[in-house]
Amino acid sequence: MILPPYARTLGIEIASGEADTPRLSLPFSLDVVGRPGFLHGGAIAGLLEFAALAALRHVLADDSVGIEPVTSTIDYMRGGRDKTTYAAGRVTRLGTRVANVEAFAWQDARDQLIAAARSNFLLVRPLA
Amino acid sequence: MLSFDLLRFVRGGFGGHGGRIGIEYHDHGTDWCELALPWREDLTGDDRTGAMAAGPVVSLLDVAASLAVWHRRGQFVPHATLDLRLDHLRAPRANEGVIGRGECYRIEESVSFVRGIAHEGDPDDPIAHLVGTYMVTGARP
C-alpha cells in the first residue's frame, strides 16, 4: 500500500505487515499540533480517514474499485499527547455500492481510544 | 479571562498543523470566520486525481469553527473538539484551493455548537458541510 501525499505530509507510516488489516502510526511533531502540547483535531481526522481507507482497500483487494467518502462522524475522547498515535480501521459492512467503515485511534493502549470515526464510502466499481 | 481579538490572532499566521498545511485568514463576521487553504500537491489524497484529501478540509473547517467560537464569545476560552460530522457533498476539483467557513450558532456553559461549509469559491457549490461541538477544557468560564 502506498500512502497518498497528504498522509506523508502528516508523517503517517504503515506499522503492520502486508497480510494484516493495516495499522497506521503518526509520530508527534510540530506539523500536527493544535493547541500547545496536543494533536490537532484535523490531523486526527486525517489519520482516521486514512486508517478507514486502508482497511477498506485491504478488504476490497481490488484497486479498480473507486472509493469516495460520503459522510464521516468523528468522536474525540481524549487529548492526543506528545507521543506516537496508532490507528486502524474495521469494515463493518461491504456492500456493492456502499461500505461502512469504523476507525479507531489510540496512544498508550488500544482500549484507551483518543478518537473514533464512523464513515460511509461510495464504491465506484468498473463496468462489467 | 483573555479577551479575543480575531484579527490580532491571525495576524502572525497560523502555527502547528494549520501552518503546516498553509491555512490563511480570509474574512469574518460577528459569529463566523472564513479561512483559505490554497491548493498544494502535498495536501492531495490521490496522486492520480490531484484533488485535495478530505483531511485538510476537516482541519480547515475545524480551525475556522474554533475561531468563530472564540470570536463570538469575545474571549479565549480553551476548548477541545468533542465531535465533528462531515458530509462530503462532492469530490474536490484538481488544483483547486478551498475556502472554509465556520459559524458558531450557540454557546452554552461548557459546549459550543458550530456548523461550517467548505467550497472552492462558489458557496452555492460546496464540497463539504460540517456540524460539530467543542467542549470547554478547563474550569467553566
Side-chain angles (χ1 to χ4, degrees):
Chain A
M1 195 184 121
I2 299 161
L3 290 169
Y6 180 58
R8 298 197 292 270
T9 299
L10 288 172
I12 291 174
E13 294 163 13
I14 298 168
S16 60
E18 287 281 317
D20 307 318
T21 298
R23 176 186 289 199
L24 307 183
S25 65
L26 174 68
F28 193 86
S29 77
L30 283 179
D31 288 347
V32 290
V33 168
R35 61 197 160 107
F38 289 89
L39 276 177
H40 194 282
I44 296 173
L47 175 65
L48 289 167
E49 184 202 0
F50 288 122
L53 283 168
L56 183 52
R57 274 279 167 233
H58 182 73
V59 170
L60 272 172
D62 179 357
D63 283 345
S64 71
V65 181
I67 299 174
E68 294 176 5
V70 185
T71 74
S72 189
T73 307
I74 304 149
D75 285 328
Y76 294 90
M77 302 163 196
R78 291 178 173 86
R81 298 283 185 163
D82 182 358
K83 55 181 84 171
T84 299
T85 307
Y86 299 94
R90 189 170 72 91
V91 178
T92 46
R93 180 178 178 269
L94 181 65
T96 309
R97 299 168 64 197
V98 169
N100 306 87
V101 186
E102 296 175 324
F104 305 95
W106 69 94
Q107 291 187 323
D108 297 314
R110 189 159 182 162
D111 59 358
Q112 288 171 20
L113 298 178
I114 66 162
R118 198 160 43 77
S119 304
N120 304 309
F121 294 95
L122 211 57
L123 302 177
V124 185
R125 295 179 187 274
L127 295 172
Chain B
M1 195 55 67
L2 287 168
S3 68
F4 184 75
D5 182 335
L6 183 84
L7 287 177
R8 204 170 143 191
F9 187 90
V10 300
R11 195 179 298 149
F14 291 83
H17 184 58
R20 176 66 181 84
I21 64 175
I23 289 178
E24 299 170 356
Y25 168 79
H26 191 252
D27 199 3
H28 77 280
T30 54
D31 60 355
W32 58 272
C33 176
E34 276 182 7
L35 303 176
L37 183 62
W39 184 89
R40 282 192 346 205
E41 195 278 334
D42 63 355
L43 302 181
T44 56
D46 186 334
D47 290 308
R48 290 165 298 184
T49 64
M52 213 176 288
V57 178
V58 180
S59 295
L60 178 73
L61 288 171
D62 186 31
V63 177
S66 268
L67 292 177
V69 171
W70 294 321
H71 181 59
R72 180 177 166 145
R73 257 189 211 283
Q75 289 183 331
F76 181 79
V77 180
H79 64 210
T81 317
L82 182 61
D83 90 312
L84 297 176
R85 150 76 190 229
L86 270 294
D87 285 347
H88 300 284
L89 305 176
R90 66 168 173 82
R93 295 191 183 97
N95 308 309
E96 285 282 349
V98 177
I99 303 286
R101 179 191 175 103
E103 176 194 345
C104 174
Y105 67 94
R106 178 89 180 179
I107 291 180
E108 286 295 325
E109 234 175 306
S110 44
V111 180
S112 307
F113 298 82
V114 301
R115 54 193 167 211
I117 179 173
H119 59 83
E120 294 166 323
D122 177 4
D124 293 328
D125 185 21
I127 57 173
H129 273 215
L130 166 96
V131 290
T133 49
Y134 294 93
M135 184 92 196
V136 172
T137 47
R140 285 185 292 191

